[in-house]
Amino acid sequence: MNKKIACGLVLIVLLIAPFMLYPVFLMKMLCFALFACSFNLLIGYTGLLSFGHAAFFGMAGYVTGYALASLGLPSEIGILAGTAAAALIGLVMGLLAIRRQGIYFTMITLALAQMLYFVCLQAPFTGGEDGLQGVPRGKLLGVLDLSNDLTMYFVVLAIAVAGFALIVRIVHSPFGQVLNAIKENEARAVSLGYDVPRYKLLAFVLSAALTGLAGSTKTLVLGFETLTDVHWTMSGMVVLMTLVGGMGTIVGPIAGAVLIVVLENKLGDIGNWLASVTGIAWFQTLGDSVTIVIGFIFIVCVLAFRRGLVGELLALGRRISKLRRGV
């Protein structure tokens, strides 16, 4: 199927979806899909495994929540402030970590993110363990009333599509080709005269900013921000989404994010439905075993689908295409 036709069909489905499903749940999926795509820009196309992306996601949410709830700023200013804060934190963190490689880079990002977690735990503007509550949605540009779920959904959809389009543009630009060269053979990229640390730093900041955009939007949607979003487990969750969906693919992280969010929020309902259909009462306990089910899916993907779900489908398509051509 032509890519443009496929994108058009997906967009039509997304436009129809809020009239058939709960809009807030759909908005949460869109936010996490953008989060996963932003992370994939770093690990999938630059080869840098950050274990501190929860810092950008959560801190952007806190800044946006404080700007809207305490300062009374407009919604669009709150989102921009959260995104800018994430980019600034990404710049500082990147300057400290980017010249390290492999596990050392990963551990530095984790350590710095945990420092920010404890800052959020103690800082007065974050609400500590209670988090920020009652964040108002307000009005976008003073016109669109975001308290309406349908209106809010289409705003979130526009933000997610714009963020995804930007990531696609980055990946297919000359800058993105350099990032891919760094991932494949960093020494060769250096020998060709590219300033590798500068390219890595820019990719890190872009990934942080887009992650902040996702975190800010999520806070606006749900109306609260808690320590969960800055904890290291959130960084682990986005790694899981990206690997399950397909690292280094355009739509893989989206598929992984949708799968994980659906399991986290709807596994209990799925279990009850299976119990009613099959008559097996054990399925009713699935809602209490979300982490076990997600862990099992991750193990299966690592053992049987090394490229992730979308990656394996793309590889299968390439093999079928070669067979048809008789290669």
Coordinates of all heavy atoms in Angstrom, one line a residue, residues 1 20 33 159 173 212 237 241 254 269 286-287 321:
M1 N 0.8 -1.2 0.0 CA 0.0 0.0 0.0 C 0.9 1.3 0.0 O 1.9 1.3 0.7 CB -0.9 0.0 1.2 CG -1.9 1.2 1.3 SD -2.9 1.2 2.8 CE -3.9 -0.3 2.5
M20 N -16.0 7.2 19.1 CA -16.3 5.8 19.4 C -15.6 5.3 20.7 O -16.1 4.4 21.3 CB -15.8 5.0 18.2 CG -16.4 5.4 16.9 SD -15.7 4.4 15.5 CE -16.2 2.8 15.9
A33 N 2.7 7.9 22.7 CA 3.3 7.6 21.3 C 4.3 8.7 20.9 O 5.4 8.3 20.4 CB 2.1 7.6 20.3
I159 N -1.0 18.3 17.9 CA 0.4 18.3 18.5 C 1.1 17.1 18.2 O 2.3 17.1 17.8 CB 0.3 18.6 20.0 CG1 -0.3 20.0 20.3 CG2 1.6 18.4 20.7 CD1 -0.6 20.2 21.8
S173 N 16.4 14.0 6.7 CA 17.2 15.2 6.4 C 18.6 14.8 6.3 O 19.0 13.7 6.8 CB 16.9 16.3 7.4 OG 17.5 15.9 8.6
G212 N 9.6 16.6 26.2 CA 8.9 17.6 27.0 C 7.6 18.0 26.5 O 6.6 18.3 27.2
M237 N 10.0 2.3 31.0 CA 8.8 2.0 30.2 C 8.9 2.5 28.8 O 8.5 1.8 27.8 CB 7.6 2.8 30.9 CG 6.2 2.5 30.2 SD 5.8 0.7 30.4 CE 5.5 0.6 32.2
M241 N 8.6 0.3 25.4 CA 7.7 0.7 24.2 C 8.5 0.6 22.9 O 8.0 0.1 21.9 CB 7.1 2.0 24.5 CG 6.1 2.1 25.6 SD 5.6 3.9 25.8 CE 4.4 3.7 27.2
I254 N 5.3 3.9 18.0 CA 3.9 4.2 18.2 C 3.1 2.9 18.5 O 2.3 2.9 19.4 CB 3.3 4.9 16.9 CG1 4.0 6.2 16.6 CG2 1.8 5.1 17.0 CD1 3.5 6.8 15.3
D269 N -10.2 -5.2 31.9 CA -11.4 -5.3 31.1 C -11.3 -6.5 30.1 O -12.2 -7.3 29.9 CB -11.7 -4.1 30.4 CG -12.1 -2.9 31.3 OD1 -12.5 -3.2 32.4 OD2 -11.9 -1.7 30.9
L286 N -6.1 -11.1 35.5 CA -5.1 -10.4 34.6 C -4.9 -9.0 35.0 O -3.8 -8.4 34.8 CB -5.6 -10.5 33.2 CG -5.3 -11.9 32.5 CD1 -5.9 -11.9 31.1 CD2 -3.9 -12.3 32.5
G287 N -6.0 -8.3 35.4 CA -5.9 -6.9 35.8 C -4.9 -6.6 36.9 O -4.3 -5.5 37.0
S321 N 9.0 -9.5 -0.9 CA 9.2 -8.7 -2.1 C 10.4 -9.3 -3.0 O 10.3 -9.4 -4.2 CB 9.5 -7.3 -1.8 OG 9.8 -6.5 -2.9

